[in-house]
Amino acid sequence: MVEKDAIPQTLLAIWGQSILSEGWTTIPNVLIRSQSLLNISNSELVLLMHLISFIHHPLSQIYPSINLLAERMNQDRRTIQRTMKRLEDKELVRKRIRSKGS
């Protein structure tokens, strides 16, 4: 839960406390305006937005699981993997392997 004092007043005026109490995500307008120029599909852009939503400060590491992303986006795991691969190929994201095993 986000404290009211931490929410910018402009956002509060637009969205209200009840919606923003769970947090919010800042997306650079240049990313949205340059979607066509960057050759980013709608599904790639939405996945990027979900990834960005995990950033909490400038040095944040983003580690959502494929399962979590699939659930959030109402997509099959394989669809998320293919979309992530396209983002990697376009050098918009870099993948780090996390292993729960030894």
Side-chain angles (χ1 to χ4, degrees):
M1 171 117 13
V2 178
E3 290 183 34
K4 186 176 181 179
D5 293 342
I7 302 172
Q9 290 301 309
T10 305
L11 289 179
L12 271 174
I14 294 168
W15 295 103
Q17 173 67 32
S18 61
I19 291 175
L20 294 177
S21 66
E22 295 294 321
W24 66 92
T25 300
T26 304
I27 306 293
N29 286 336
V30 70
L31 178 62
I32 297 166
R33 284 194 297 253
S34 300
Q35 180 180 355
S36 178
L37 181 66
L38 294 169
N39 193 29
I40 301 173
S41 72
N42 291 339
S43 59
E44 291 166 352
L45 182 59
V46 171
L47 180 55
L48 270 175
M49 287 188 214
H50 279 277
L51 292 171
I52 291 168
S53 77
F54 287 88
I55 298 173
H56 301 291
H57 57 78
L59 301 177
S60 286
Q61 302 279 334
I62 304 172
Y63 295 116
S65 69
I66 296 297
N67 285 338
L68 176 60
L69 293 168
E71 182 180 311
R72 277 184 162 198
M73 294 177 63
N74 195 29
Q75 296 285 317
D76 185 75
R77 284 178 39 85
R78 189 67 190 116
T79 301
I80 299 297
Q81 290 170 325
R82 283 191 298 267
T83 305
M84 187 72 78
K85 175 71 171 114
R86 290 193 309 267
L87 290 172
E88 289 173 47
D89 292 345
K90 293 176 183 180
E91 298 183 352
L92 294 169
V93 298
R94 273 183 265 142
K95 184 169 146 184
R96 276 201 175 155
I97 304 298
R98 289 187 306 166
S99 176
K100 293 182 182 179
S102 53

